[in-house]
Amino acid sequence: MIEFEDLQSFIQVDEKLNHTVEKVIQFALEKERVQLETETSLLYVDNKEIKSINYETRNIDKETDVLSFPMINYPDGKVFKEVYDENSFYPEDFNEGRLVLGEIVLSLEKAFSQSEEFSHSFEREVCYLCIHSLLHLLGYDHMVEVDKVIMRKREEEILNEFNIVR
């Protein structure tokens, strides 16, 4: 389950966008072998708000495109599909029977400008950023080059299989 909240006025969010995002996230969860029901929050914001959140949480005083707030702690270098099964969790990891993965905060304003910069659709950019963030919620990271290569490859595999291309 994805809980959407729209706190921005830069882009008119319609049900089509939310439906596409929900489908691509569900597809990615299946590809990552997440077999439990999950819960993720997706918060749409503008550049000003994401800059503020970025400063508050990471002490970085600039806008970014997406932030991820995972609720699960992973062993170093491991991702969900490598370490977890239904017996790995505690009752507090769940909300109404759904495993709480965390929160995605996405600047639609930044996604729009990046879609123009990279010459692909706004929908493609939003889906890419959601998959990027979801992979963070599942333990992927890109702070070191070897992990970055793995994460970027996985992002593209999922998007291509879902038929969201550049």
Side-chain angles (χ1 to χ4, degrees):
M1 177 182 119
I2 302 172
E3 189 174 302
F4 293 95
E5 188 171 358
D6 186 4
L7 298 180
Q8 56 82 50
S9 58
F10 185 80
I11 296 282
Q12 178 71 32
V13 175
D14 59 15
E15 284 306 309
K16 181 181 182 280
L17 179 64
N18 285 345
H19 181 73
T20 302
V21 165
E22 196 162 22
K23 288 290 200 189
V24 76
I25 287 175
Q26 188 57 45
F27 182 78
L29 289 169
E30 290 169 13
K31 291 297 175 184
E32 287 298 303
R33 299 193 301 254
V34 178
Q35 298 176 354
L36 300 166
E37 281 194 61
T38 63
E39 182 176 310
T40 305
S41 297
L42 175 52
L43 182 62
Y44 296 130
V45 297
D46 58 21
N47 285 346
K48 181 180 175 186
E49 182 64 21
I50 206 160
K51 179 180 179 182
S52 175
I53 296 169
N54 203 21
Y55 183 71
E56 289 172 21
T57 59
R58 301 172 63 219
N59 206 31
I60 298 173
D61 193 20
K62 70 177 195 171
E63 64 195 40
T64 189
D65 46 17
V66 68
L67 293 168
S68 311
F69 298 98
M71 295 298 292
I72 301 170
N73 292 318
Y74 297 92
D76 284 343
K78 297 292 183 183
V79 297
F80 184 97
K81 66 184 175 185
E82 297 172 332
V83 294
Y84 287 107
D85 62 35
E86 64 270 5
N87 300 314
S88 301
F89 301 101
Y90 301 101
E92 59 267 19
D93 295 329
F94 291 86
N95 180 32
E96 297 180 5
R98 294 181 299 269
L99 178 64
V100 179
L101 295 177
E103 183 173 51
I104 297 168
V105 180
L106 173 62
S107 170
L108 292 182
E109 184 177 356
K110 189 75 164 174
F112 181 79
S113 66
Q114 287 178 173
S115 71
E116 291 185 329
E117 178 184 342
F118 300 133
S119 299
H120 55 239
S121 73
F122 174 69
E123 179 183 83
R124 196 264 183 215
E125 186 65 16
V126 169
C127 287
Y128 167 77
L129 293 172
C130 287
I131 294 306
H132 176 85
S133 192
L134 178 71
L135 290 177
H136 277 307
L137 300 184
L138 296 175
Y140 287 83
D141 208 349
H142 51 79
M143 297 308 288
V144 296
E145 190 60 30
V146 68
D147 293 338
K148 182 178 181 178
V149 168
I150 291 167
M151 187 172 180
R152 295 289 184 256
K153 181 179 180 222
R154 194 64 184 135
E155 292 163 352
E156 290 302 321
E157 288 170 350
I158 290 168
L159 288 169
N160 287 337
E161 281 187 58
F162 194 75
N163 202 29
I164 299 215
V165 293
R166 293 180 188 252

